[in-house]
Amino acid sequence: MPRPEFTRSLLAPRHWPAWLGVAAVWLIAHLPQALLPWLGRRLGALVARVPSARRRIAAANIALCFPALDPTQRAALVDANLRDIGMMMVEFALGWLGSNRRMAALPTTIEGLEHLEAARARGKGVLLVGGHFSHLELCARLVSQRIRIAGMYRRMDSTVFEWVVLRARLRYAAAMFDKDDIRGTVKYLRAGGTLWYAPDQDMRSKDTVFVPFFGVPAATITATHHLARLSGAVVIPFFHRRLPDGSAYVLRLGAPLEDFPGTDVLDDTARVNACIEQMVREAPEQYLWVHKRFKTRPPGLPPVY
């Protein structure tokens, strides 16, 4: 995918507020590294204090997924998750517009690269399957320093941010594929490419099935099964977390899923959800609980939100 071209229409007055937002993102990405954890904590404290629908959504998701926690423990996890949104804001800015030198200076450990190298030695494409954690954009950028990856994405509502962010991603990604560009994605994987993909959001797509996520029926897209089937790619779980003090990042590539894809799309999709659930349990406060994961419900079940 070529970098999007700049057009004069992006300077229209209706886009000026978006350009102010871009300027704020650029400023955050160029602050001294020592200030960023402090800024993330301050922003997170503000998010946690201000009443919003985010708290209600996160609380509903956490209550469903962690029924064994008592009310005090659940409230503490909700607070920690909302505070983590502050770090997410900082990390998105850094992932999009931070310099390569800044990326190289971030303390990062990458485990399991041997699984990727073994797949490539066999001439296989690789699907790195992960979840929507607060630092997904930054960690995609960090892992790209070691391996060439592509990504799938959904277009942004803002024309300005779409132009800025897509250009930024194409600085480090081998390619970016629209979520509906299945043909291009399959072609890339067949050629031995590596694609980062997160199938853990309720997309309200026709290509979904209900499979468990933390024991709760969750509408889940079946694309992981179909992409692997059509391309012959190996599916490797990809997990990333921020250390509790915010000082470093740990990225882990797991062993490839065995006998994947199988003949049963329901079983394969449930296996993917189980992998993501295991990732979430390792760092539950860093997961994107403010997304309406259970927005679509099986017939007969009451709404969650």
Side-chain angles (χ1 to χ4, degrees):
M1 176 184 291
R3 287 192 179 188
E5 294 185 2
F6 184 85
T7 61
R8 290 181 62 86
S9 63
L10 291 172
L11 297 177
R14 69 179 183 277
H15 294 313
W16 292 355
W19 283 113
L20 288 175
V22 169
V25 170
W26 184 92
L27 178 61
I28 292 172
H30 289 81
L31 289 174
Q33 180 61 36
L35 285 179
L36 294 184
W38 174 87
L39 178 60
R41 289 191 295 270
R42 299 288 79 73
L43 290 173
L46 180 63
V47 171
R49 281 200 302 267
V50 175
S52 71
R54 295 187 192 93
R55 178 175 290 276
R56 176 176 55 82
I57 295 166
N61 284 334
I62 288 170
L64 271 180
C65 295
F66 295 96
L69 297 180
D70 63 40
T72 301
Q73 291 171 320
R74 287 201 298 269
L77 180 52
V78 171
D79 279 340
N81 185 243
L82 292 175
R83 291 176 183 277
D84 196 68
I85 291 176
M87 285 302 300
M88 180 179 71
M89 295 175 183
V90 169
E91 288 163 337
F92 265 81
L94 198 56
W96 285 336
L97 300 181
S99 67
N100 288 333
R101 184 170 62 179
R102 172 69 67 85
M103 293 299 107
L106 283 177
T108 305
T109 300
I110 303 180
E111 304 168 353
L113 281 175
E114 66 274 11
H115 300 303
L116 178 67
E117 291 164 356
R120 286 181 165 179
R122 293 161 50 205
K124 293 284 190 177
V126 176
L127 264 174
L128 296 178
V129 173
H132 281 79
F133 291 85
S134 57
H135 31 67
L136 79 157
E137 190 81 32
L138 177 59
C139 288
R141 177 92 182 266
L142 290 172
V143 79
S144 73
Q145 294 182 296
R146 299 287 296 275
I147 57 176
R148 290 287 285 167
I149 64 168
M152 295 189 79
Y153 79 107
R154 180 170 52 182
R155 293 184 181 275
M156 295 187 168
D157 294 332
S158 166
T159 306
V160 169
F161 269 92
E162 172 69 15
W163 182 82
V164 170
V165 173
L166 184 55
R167 281 180 63 87
R169 286 169 169 165
L170 288 173
R171 286 169 49 208
Y172 66 86
M176 293 298 300
F177 296 99
D178 184 275
K179 64 181 180 63
D180 296 321
D181 185 9
I182 302 301
R183 179 178 296 180
T185 305
V186 169
K187 182 178 179 181
Y188 173 79
L189 289 169
R190 282 180 175 172
T194 299
L195 179 79
W196 182 92
Y197 181 56
D200 62 328
Q201 291 199 331
D202 188 342
M203 306 298 291
R204 289 198 166 180
S205 165
K206 64 180 180 180
D207 298 318
T208 61
V209 293
F210 286 104
V211 291
F213 185 60
F214 284 85
V216 183
T220 307
I221 52 180
T222 58
T224 308
H225 165 91
H226 294 302
L227 287 173
R229 177 179 58 84
L230 293 170
S231 69
V234 171
V235 176
I236 291 180
F238 176 44
F239 174 55
H240 40 87
R241 64 185 175 92
R242 183 194 323 107
L243 295 187
D245 62 359
S247 63
Y249 296 86
V250 177
L251 286 59
R252 184 174 71 246
L253 283 68
L257 299 185
E258 295 183 359
D259 302 318
F260 194 103
T263 57
D264 189 335
V265 66
L266 275 170
D267 181 62
D268 281 353
T269 308
R271 289 179 67 190
V272 171
N273 269 9
C275 286
I276 297 173
E277 178 181 329
Q278 184 179 1
M279 298 174 193
V280 174
R281 291 186 182 278
E282 291 190 38
E285 73 285 355
Q286 297 175 26
Y287 189 63
L288 197 65
W289 292 114
V290 296
H291 168 68
K292 292 182 178 180
R293 183 64 185 90
F294 306 104
K295 178 170 48 181
T296 305
R297 299 284 276 164
L301 289 185
V304 173
Y305 311 108

